[in-house]
Amino acid sequence: MVASIVDSLDGAINHLAYLADDPRIDYQSVVVWSSFLTTAFEVWLNRRQLRQYDKPKPPPELASHISDDKFRKAQAYGRDKTRYSLFKAVFNQILGWAIIRSRLYAKLWYVTGGWMDTLGLAPSRTIVHSMMWISTLVVFSTIPSIPWNYYYTFVLEEKHGFNKSTLKLWIMDQIKSTVLLAAIGLPILAAFLKIIELAGRRFVPWLMLFLITVQLSMQMIYPTFIQPLFNKLTPLPEGELRTRVENLAAKLKFPLNHLYVIDGSKRSGHSNAYFYGLPWSKHIVIYDTLMEQSSPAEVEAVLGHELGHWSYTHPTKLLLIIQLHLLTTLTTFSIFIHNRALFDSFGFDPQLAITGVAGGPQPIIIGFMLFQLVLEPQDTVVNFLIHALTRKYEYQADEFAVKLDKKEDLASALIKLHIDNLSAPHNDKLYSMYHHSHPTLPERLRAMETYVRAVDVQGKKDL
Ligand SMILES: [Zn+2]
């Protein structure tokens, strides 16, 4: 039974692979056109959002909480950020297009092949070659993003009073991130390629198993080994807040192990709180900025919301959905893995021996990169779907906090956070659905209000 399903699935994949490997399909044009369309869509969304910053008054839900001065500041900050992302999207589009048109992927493969030769490495060592290729490509694509990142932190955020980072800290952050990316990313990528090399076209289950293991290990490694490289976590001192949070955790049977404060203020004035850990041992982290801005009761209400996510097992559900998405992506990749037409259209000359051996296999890593380019437009749709789901989760977590009788504190905490972070007072509906994992603040406040009223009516009926 299982064997016959696997066989028919295999047959279907082979058939699709045959259909997709048609020299008449100009994959490069497909990628260029679809990426231009995606960027055009994003620019259109940004322009819709930009109009929101011309509105002269805050939305009614916020009107009594936000001063004229704060409102003007929030509008100015939002306008600057949206303009920035509009220009960046256009710049990245042109850069991506130039990289494709100049056949950089193919050229780099031949250039790094030359380096292999110089180093006396046999051309058959495709994985070493792939590591050289990806590292060079990452360097090429990271350099243009440095000025953008610099501008964002030291010009844009600075202008609006959020930047707390120094040039030295910023440079150290960039170096640390790059070293970490190489130290963790390259071995994972090498294993990824090796698994496909060994398993052939039926690599999907093996690769899934490997990637799930990697994700779970990263969840354990990140807070203990990686986060401390960037931030300091200190136990929350004894006091009203600690008692409140501990009581809340005990009441909900949340397996709280550690309660930390993180020095988010080292880099930025933005604030937050979150939890992490294994099912039986959880840790809560509160930003020092959140504690400065809110009363203990308000921080407790924010954590009430966070523990709502835990109670509804939202993180686990999201993790499962990510795996499903990964499984679909990898299965589709197995259709494209040996696609000659795809390689040809990006300048990999079929006459030239790609790996130095005439007729040799196409490098997996390049197949994967090209396949991702083809697949990219579907991210737009995935964005909408995932955000629709996370918005639903946000409403549920808010409802959870309301049930804990924390509506007033949560509402005032969210309003304070919103105002202190200078979040956009008005949001274009479509822009927000595409970009934001959370509903807008007026939407959340309205939903909490509706929920309280529904419970009131229900309560009276029960009496
Ligand atoms: Zn939430």
Side-chain angles (χ1 to χ4, degrees), residues 305-306 309 393-394 397 438 444:
H305 166 99
E306 290 304 318
H309 285 309
Y393 289 173
E394 289 311 315
H438 288 51
R444 289 175 74 178

Side-chain angles (χ1 to χ4, degrees), residues 277-444:
L278 298 163
W280 54 89
S281 162
K282 299 274 182 204
H283 317 292
I284 289 180
V285 181
I286 305 171
Y287 273 65
D288 54 356
T289 36
L290 178 67
M291 286 168 55
E292 270 164 38
Q293 289 158 353
S294 319
S295 73
E298 286 168 337
V299 177
E300 188 194 348
V302 169
L303 288 172
H305 166 99
E306 290 304 318
L307 296 191
H309 285 309
W310 163 77
S311 173
Y312 286 114
T313 61
H314 290 157
T316 318
K317 286 177 185 157
L318 277 175
L319 199 69
L320 286 176
I321 289 168
I322 290 167
Q323 307 316 312
L324 207 66
H325 183 231
L326 197 60
L327 181 68
T328 327
T329 309
L330 291 180
T331 311
T332 323
F333 175 49
S334 71
I335 295 171
F336 282 88
I337 187 166
H338 298 306
N339 194 314
R340 192 88 250 179
L342 180 61
F343 276 80
D344 289 355
S345 80
F346 281 89
F348 288 87
D349 192 338
Q351 302 307 319
L352 260 174
I354 283 175
T355 56
V357 186
Q362 291 121 320
I364 298 161
I365 190 164
I366 290 172
F368 192 62
M369 288 291 286
L370 299 181
F371 160 74
Q372 293 228 297
L373 290 179
V374 175
L375 205 67
E376 226 167 55
Q378 59 97 41
D379 279 351
T380 323
V381 182
V382 172
N383 251 343
F384 275 115
L385 293 178
I386 294 270
H387 287 162
L389 185 73
T390 54
R391 282 154 168 274
K392 190 181 134 202
Y393 289 173
E394 289 311 315
Y395 285 128
Q396 284 180 339
D398 281 345
E399 211 177 284
F400 186 85
V402 174
K403 277 186 207 156
L404 291 172
D405 206 17
K406 301 203 181 306
K407 184 197 161 247
E408 295 309 319
D409 285 322
L410 182 60
S412 70
L414 290 178
I415 291 168
K416 265 192 202 169
L417 285 180
H418 189 93
I419 293 173
D420 287 341
N421 285 331
L422 294 182
S423 305
H426 295 282
N427 277 286
D428 175 69
K429 186 88 188 151
L430 209 56
Y431 175 88
S432 169
M433 280 165 68
Y434 183 68
H435 283 290
H436 300 155
S437 56
H438 288 51
T440 63
L441 180 58
E443 282 172 333
R444 289 175 74 178

